[in-house]
Amino acid sequence: MSAPILNQTIQLANGRTLGFAEYGPPEGTPILYFHGHPGSRLELSLFDNLESILTRLNLRIIAVERPGIGLSDSQPGRRFVDWPVDISEFVDKVLKMNRFNLITYSAGGPFGAVCALKIPERLEKVTLVSSPCPFNEPGALEGVGPAFYWKSAKIHPLLTGLILRMAGRSAKLPPPDKAGMAYVDYDLIAQHENFFPRFMAVTFVESCRRGTRGPAYEASLYVKDWGFSVKDIHKKIDLWHGGQDMNAPLHHMRWLEQRLPEKEIHLFPDEGHVTLFYRYMEEILQSASGCA
């Protein structure tokens, strides 16, 4: 069983650097992975059984960091629609493939959706796990546990940056109480003593490796018009979602379901934002690879 290669970078033609990590056997079928928010290339290292699953399925995951996050250089004024350009060049240089599979987790969803819109000819299969809808949609923040975070991004990214700095300092603290968290997610985290500090380290802390400005700016993208319409996506998208999710509540998935012309729904009524991927990782990855 191979060990992950976590700290890699590649330079784009415009001079910017993108950070990435690789998991699974090098000869495995590649799947590109877009992390959540704030998130980082290290997000998947939370799951101790990941490498055994990837070896069993013969899959190789390449987790790419977005601009201003982790090892990636910032890109002032970036938009969702700019991301497919970076990804096309990244795939050409790293995977050296014309077509590839793509999976996103949580707030990585709109970045996967815009790739399905802009570069559908390069995508074999697109899988969005626990994806939000635009937070500026009417009622979008209803039922969202960490709603204050997204409300701060509506006010000003500097306020979001302050929250990120405070979160980084809390990385060594025990999990918060159940307020704002699905009970199934809280129970899972509480049962694993080291899960919460590891989660904070590979999401909030690593995301802000170069400061809070990059992640804080990205937060502002989610709370305004995405700059593209999911109704224009004619690539089939698989949506996986937990019915107890409080980070991207079920009505977020329904919003996407109603607007995407081609989709397949995988709904797990009793799972949350964390437990869905934690408990069904093998099934999700097998499906995302196109081998299900």
Side-chain angles (χ1 to χ4, degrees), residues 164-179:
L164 288 166
R165 284 192 291 274
M166 293 171 61
R169 289 197 291 269
S170 70
K172 296 182 180 180
L173 298 177
D177 60 30
K178 294 184 180 181

Side-chain angles (χ1 to χ4, degrees), residues 42 85 91 96 99 122 132 150 164 213 252 266 271 276:
L42 305 181
V85 177
V91 170
K96 296 179 173 60
R99 296 175 64 84
R122 303 209 62 175
W150 301 111
L164 288 166
R213 181 172 296 182
H252 285 226
H266 307 264
E271 301 301 339
L276 173 63

Side-chain angles (χ1 to χ4, degrees), residues 24 50 88 94 96 114-115 130 149 157 181 198 222 251 258:
L50 174 67
S88 287
V94 176
K96 296 179 173 60
V114 76
C115 285
S130 305
Y149 180 82
M181 186 182 299
R198 288 171 60 194
Y222 297 96
H251 61 87
Q258 291 166 10

Side-chain angles (χ1 to χ4, degrees), residues 70 82 131 292:
D82 297 319
S131 177

